Every structure is written in structure tokens, then in C-alpha cells.
Amino acid sequence: MISQILTAIGAMIFGVAVCAAYFLFSNKLLDLIFPAKEGGDVHRAAVNLRRRSLIRPWLFLGPALFLLAVYLMYPVVATLILSFYGPDGNQFVGGANYVWAFNDTEFRQSIFNNILWLAVVPAACTFFGLVIAVMTDRIWWGNIAKAVIFMPMAISFVGASVIWKFIYEYRGGNDTQIGLLNAVVQLFGGTPEVWITIPFWNNFFLMVMLIWIQTGFAMVILSAALRGIPEETIEAAVIDGANGWQIFWKIMVPQVWGTIATVWTTITILVLKVFDIVLTMTNGQWNTMVLANLMFNWLFRGGGDSGRSAVIALVIMVAVTPIMIWNIRRANAEMKGR
Amino acid sequence: MKKLLLMTVAVAALAAGSALAADLKFQPGQDSKFNWKSYDDFKAAHADLKGETMTIFGPWRGEDEALFTSVLNYFTEATGVNAKYSSSENYEQQIVIDTQAGSPPNVAILPQPGLLANLASKGYLTPLGDDLANWVKTNYGAGDSWVGYGTYKGKDGKDAFYAFPYKADLKSLVWYVPENFEEAGYKVPTTMEDLIKLSDQIVKDGGTPWCIGLGSGGATGWPATDWVEDLMLRTVSPKDYDGWVDNSLKFNDPKVVNAIDEFGKFAKNAKYVNGGVAAVASTDFRDSPKGLFTVPPKCYLHKQASFIPSFFPEGTKLGQDADFFYFPPYASHPELGKPVLGAGTLATITKDSKAARAFIEFLQTPIAQEVWMAQSGFLTPYKGVNTAAYANDTLRKEGEILTTATTFRFDGSDLMPGKIGAGAFWTGMVDFVGGKSAQDSADAIQKAWDSIK
């Protein structure tokens, strides 16, 4: 333990020192190669200065670019290569893993479930987040309400799963139902159900958990955006006789549209990576499998198959990429506007 | 800062000191039913390991982890090795992650020969040597079978002995509460036909015969595979069973579909199971036997392996408050005799070291087995242990089945490729109990099997 802490501290000091040394020495080296005073030759000196300012940013960016390449590009390329190899990554199998994927019922089930998640969760989170942000703005206990709604954000996905397991808990026969949902159902005279085993609908019971967690995030961001709307536009609308509904849709929403898009896409990317909830609640059984869990199962269960899991990983990456590109482009466009 | 550092060092030293003086459950030399000579001999032979560290990864959690630690304490005490045990709910995945990431434990103890064979084929296991294999062969009941379960093809394609069997489970058991049987006037059945008759009788008397729970977190469904395996052994020949395990007999063969349907007769009969069919898949297997002990009983019968008393209510006396009978064969299949289904955990070296080797040697000593035997939930096919050490007659009865066995069949799902035995088979059984037909479930499992060939 002690030695580990000391190693960590040592590594930190060493890392910072190496970084500082890199910047100092590379700068010095640049100055040496392109000196500012070339024996009184003003023209050469000016050229040197220009060259230096051209190279310097790349020098500073260099380590970051290198690390990005190592940590982002290399894994992508390695995964792509693995996807053409057999279970242990030694035997070339061509496109067999891809053929398998599109013929596998479990894979298709996962794609279908992922699309369900994508259709429901980001929309629901953004909608609830926006509605709550608007409503809590007008009431005196709005901040308390916001704090409560934001709280699930602080809980880990696995922690949330444990909480929701007790909400969906089912006890057989004449036992007292300890699950909240079944207790409520029983109170109104219904028959208790094993919620997480009902095919198709169980997907929605899992989605509710993510909506519960993420609505707070959407609410906080959107509420900040709503605060940014100039009072005058709303006052003008009121004077013109707009009702609350019109103010919301015609004045507020268009002005925070950019933020809505950001929140939506952020949650979309999160949903594509959903894993913990499914693992802890059903582990993909009862037709709730999603891509991330399928990939994990193929990679690690029963000895593992790196080829097939690589295919699934690539599918997830391909699905996330367009959303990320769109997000970055939009952010860039907004930056240019300023 | 220096003071703080010194203080931390002192605390760490204290903690390390107390770990070395681990409390031993039974004091060496005190109880004659234990083979203390084996402990002393082992201690004398491994005095040179003091200060080494090793990590052990195993499937035991909760109650079982405490029991295993009580055994491990003797190893620590004898050698001075600082041994750390860890486990994971998803140990099947965790061990693959650890080995592939290049940071395996020194010793991995796993209940799945199929998974171990897979790890061996990738070169992650260290062979234990032919001497040990021969030792197992001569000292274990049905030794040949056990050597077979520990022998796999390595990365070089050659067979070698990789896994030492330590701790066995007996699966063909039905648990009941003798008192409840007496009160209701039920008799222990000796044929499957009688067992079904008894179940019907219990229903007629207004009770529920069975508690069945398939829930097990990410491994939900495995208890059902035990049912199907036991029913396979009771409806088809052992040869067919072996064929089923290596898929030379297809999973959707009528023989297998029939066994799944036989299981359905119990699990998919709302009158037979506590809580109705819906509760079967969602009830955790660890909670499931508790229904035996309620007043009035929620169920009278519970089919589960020998480890289950670990999950009985605290203070349950085996043989008195709870007992077992052998899951009976069909009278209509007299040619199959009395087959026994079992399983066990196998210890392998995933990162070679002197301490790891010493630990495998330690598991060979009678004392390493007797300490656990004397508590609960431990059976061994090792003939060199003193059966008087078993905590009660129930365990002794089970242990004797193992040591006197000439041959017995290992849990089929643990022998199948991991993707099937620890995947498609589970999901298939969950789907089957959830409403799918036996044929459709079997077809889906066979399809999954075809896809990994």
C-alpha cells in the first residue's frame, strides 16, 4: 500500500517533470535551429521568426496528438483487424464474423432493442427536463424540486439498478409483495407481475431507470439556457397577448433549440453505450439484450471470442460516429457565429 | 509528513502482523479426527516461503468465502505466505478479463472444466504435471473421471493435466424437512413415478410440492440445467449423455427435448411450484430453499446440489431439521441403474510461482479438506481423508457416495463450451420456463452451438 502510494506520487512528479522538460527543451531546440539573430541578416531573421511561429503550436500539440493516436486510433484499427480473425485472434476468417452477426437472432434482437432505447430515452429525458425546467422556474420551491430531480445523477448506474430492483421485485404466491410497483398494483386490486421478465415491455421498465437518472442532467442544462432568454422577448409576447402555451412553443423553445439538440445528442450517445443497467437487471435475458452487453458477453463469457465482439464494437462505433460528427459541426458553427 | 508516513507504516505493520496470526478454527494437534500430521509435514516442508505473496481467485462468496478463508488461514499459518483471496459474482467473465489483460491471479479455482479447457488452449494455464494426475487417479473415488475433467489441450495442442479437483458437489439430491413429512404422513419416494405421485398427493392435500428458483444474477437459468442433466441421466444412456455434452448428440434431438419436457412437468406446472410459474425464473436460487422452513411450509421438496445447506436458515441442523434423498430414477428405465450427477471446483495455476505450487500441494493434504468438511458444504472424493471429520451424518452420507463411486457424470453444462453451458443453455431454459416450447428452446440452443463450431 505504502509503496504503491509512493510509486504514484513519484510517477506524478516524474510525469510533470518530463512534460516541463519536453516543452523547455523542444522550445530551446527550435530557437537554436531557427535563431532570431542571423548575423545581422534581418530578412533571414524574419523568415526564421515566421517558421518558428508555424512550428511551435505543433510542438506543443505533439504529445497530445501522439497520445490521441495511441489511445483512440490504435484501438479502432486493432478492433477492425480483430474483427476479421477467429475467436482467439490468430486465425484469419475473412468476413465470417460479419456474416454471423447479421444472421444471429440475438444480434438482431440487440439492434432492435437499441433502436427502442434510442427512440424513447433521449426524447423522454429532454422532454421531461424541459418541462420541469420551465415549471420549476415559476414556483418558490423550484430549486428544491430541481435538487431532488437532479439527485439520481449522483447515483452510479449499478446503485440505481439496486434501487429499481426493489421497485420491480416480485414475490411468488401469497407472500407479501415487497416491490413498490407490485405493492401499488395490489393496492388497486391488480395481480402482481414479474415486471422484468415480460418480453418487449421489460425493455421499457429498464429504460425508465435511465430516464430517471438522466432527466436531471437535461433539466439543469435546459434551465440554464432558459435563464439566458432575454426577458424583453417574453414581455413583448405577453403584451401582444400570447398565452403560456404560445410563449413556451413560439418564444422559449426556438431560443433554446441549440441546447435542446446538445442535450438530446449527449443522451443519445450515452444510450448507445448503455450497459450497466441491463447487466445488473437482466443480463440480457428475457429478450432485453443490447449491443454493449452482447459485446461484453462474446468477449468474456465462456473463454471469449474477440472476433465477434470486435464486430459488435464496430457496429456501436459506427452508430455513434454520425451523431458525434453532427454534434461537433454544430458546435463549430455556433462558435463561428460569435 | 514524515510523522504521518511513519504512523501509516506502523498501522500497516500491525495489520500485517494480525493477518499472520490468523485465527485457526481448530487448534492444531487438538482434535484427533483431523490429520494434524499432514499439516505439520506440510509446514516443515515449506518454511522457506515466508514473506511471499500470492493471489487466489475463486467462485466462493459470502458464507462460502468465510469457509474457504478458514482453510486458507492454515496455509498462511504454515508457510507465512501472504495469500489474498478474491471473488466476483461474474467469475466466468472476470477470469477471462484477468488472464487476457495479463494480470491473472496466481491460482484460479473454478467450477467449469469447459471454461478451463478454453483458457488452457490459449496458454493461460500452467500444467501441474503427470505425478499429480496419477495421485488423483489413485487417491480419488472415480479417479479416472476426475483426471479427465482436469486434462485439457494446451496451446501446443498436447493434452496435459491442468486442474486439481478440490471440493466436490453432489447434484442428484432432493432436500426436505423430515418433520413436515412426518406430520403429513409422506414417505421418501424411491422411483420417479413415486416422486410425481407424492407431488400430486401434496397438491391434493392443499400444499405446494416444489420450491424452484432459477435466479442467479447474470447466471440466471443454471439451476434448470441441473434438472435437465439429472433427467437426461435418468432417461438416456450415459453414452448418450456424453454425446450430448460434446454435441455428437444434437441438442434438439428428441432425447434431449424429452428431458427438457420432463423438467417442464415440474417447473411449468403452476400447482407444483411455490409462487406459480412466474416466480420460478425470478426467484433467486439462494432464497428458493427458504420456503421449506416456513410455517406452514411453502413447499415440501427442493432439488438442489449438496452446497445448498449454506443457504438454509441459520442454525438448521442437517439430518434433523433438513435432510435429503436421492433424486430417484424412473421405474420404467431399470436399465439405467442409479446414476449420480456431480460437479466440483478445480484449482489451476494461472501465474506460476513457488507459493502457487505450494498451495496446490496444500490442497492435497487431508487437513486442507478436513477443516472445511468439519464445518459445512464440503464434500470430497479424496479417499485419504477421515470421514469422521464430516460435521454430520448427512454430509458423511453424501461424501461416501463420492468416494465409493466407480463412475459418475460431471455437470453437463460445465463441460459444454462456455458459450453454450454458461450462456445459451441458461437463456434457453429461462425462455422455456417463460413459455417457449421445449423444441423451440432446444432448437435455439443447437443453433447457438452451430454458430460457434
Side-chain angles (χ1 to χ4, degrees), chain A residues 286-331:
Chain A
W286 304 291
N287 299 339
T288 56
M289 189 63 91
V290 292
L291 285 172
N293 293 76
L294 190 66
M295 177 188 84
F296 180 78
N297 273 358
W298 274 105
L299 188 52
F300 295 123
R301 181 167 271 177
D305 184 330
S306 56
R308 286 177 182 179
S309 56
V311 169
I312 302 166
L314 286 172
V315 168
I316 298 174
M317 197 192 72
V318 166
V320 173
T321 311
I323 305 165
M324 289 194 34
I325 291 175
W326 184 77
N327 220 355
I328 293 166
R329 279 204 171 159
R330 218 188 38 76

Side-chain angles (χ1 to χ4, degrees), chain B residues 330-341:
Chain B
Y330 288 88
S332 56
H333 286 287
E335 77 283 3
L336 296 175
K338 280 188 159 192
V340 172
L341 182 73

Side-chain angles (χ1 to χ4, degrees), chain B residues 76-96:
Chain B
T76 314
E77 185 72 15
T79 58
V81 170
N82 182 13
K84 285 192 203 99
Y85 173 77
S86 66
S87 183
S88 162
E89 175 95 358
N90 297 323
Y91 56 82
E92 306 100 353
Q93 283 116 325
Q94 193 60 47
I95 191 66
V96 180

